[in-house]
Amino acid sequence: MLLDVGSLAVMGVTLGAVLGTAAKLLAVPNNPIEEELQNLLPGSQCGQCGFVGCAQYAAALAKGGTPVTLCAPGGKATIEALAKKLGVHADADGHEEVGPRVAFVNEDLCIGCLRCIGECGSDAIVGAPKQLHTVIADACHACGKCFKICPTEAIEMRPIPQTIAAWHWNKPGEHSAH
């Protein structure tokens, strides 16, 4: 029995060392600009920019040719930070600050078609076929995909109500979006 345990321990240590060495030798170097740009993005992975997530948008920005004005959840501050980091001019005048929003299902109009559930990337919508659906507000990142695909227009994007749980104190120089 001790021989079995000892041989498993030796195999584990040996394989761990091989995997650790392989990870260092075969590591793909990351572009430091991509990492810095990704840290400037909100990380909501909503896809409103047209990319699968923030990492893909940061990679496209680092390669060049992609506008810095595509990140809707980040707002004007993110657009300005990205433009400053990349050394480009960003025209954020046409960007509308809408503040935090959340999807809401109108119970009278929902037919339970499941289109919104299939489109939701954060699994914030729950429901069953031909049953009423609802949105888990804490999981919703307000990408608006469910709003666009709903055939009965039962989903609307509403501002997050100002409550004690959602309220925050603005930093100096920050303007309220509420």
Side-chain angles (χ1 to χ4, degrees):
M1 176 146 156
L2 285 175
L3 183 62
D4 295 337
V5 172
S7 63
L8 284 176
V10 169
M11 283 181 15
V13 169
T14 304
L15 290 175
V18 168
L19 287 174
T21 304
K24 289 182 182 178
L25 293 176
L26 302 175
V28 177
N30 291 338
N31 186 347
I33 299 293
E34 284 182 30
E35 290 179 16
E36 291 176 23
L37 292 172
Q38 189 173 353
N39 289 335
L40 293 174
L41 294 170
S44 62
Q45 314 303 343
C46 65
Q48 292 184 60
C49 59
F51 294 91
V52 175
C54 294
Q56 288 80 10
Y57 182 44
L61 285 171
K63 288 178 186 172
T66 304
V68 296
T69 57
L70 298 179
C71 183
K76 213 172 199 177
T78 300
I79 292 171
E80 291 170 356
L82 290 172
K84 182 178 177 185
K85 184 69 180 169
L86 294 171
V88 297
H89 174 71
D91 185 21
D93 294 336
H95 183 78
E96 179 185 344
E97 291 285 337
V98 293
R101 303 179 86 68
V102 68
F104 175 79
V105 178
N106 184 340
E107 298 175 1
D108 296 332
L109 298 175
C110 181
I111 60 172
C113 67
L114 295 178
R115 290 183 186 174
C116 57
I117 291 178
E119 197 67 27
C120 184
S122 64
D123 292 332
I125 302 175
V126 293
K130 301 190 187 225
Q131 299 292 320
L132 176 67
H133 296 126
T134 189
V135 176
I136 302 169
D138 291 340
C140 178
H141 51 62
C143 65
K145 292 179 184 177
C146 58
F147 169 74
K148 294 174 188 170
I149 202 166
C150 182
T152 61
E153 297 179 357
I155 299 176
E156 59 184 81
M157 302 305 291
R158 290 186 176 176
I160 295 176
Q162 191 77 357
T163 64
I164 292 176
W167 183 83
H168 76 280
W169 193 289
N170 291 330
K171 296 176 185 167
E174 183 180 299
H175 299 288
S176 175
H178 299 293

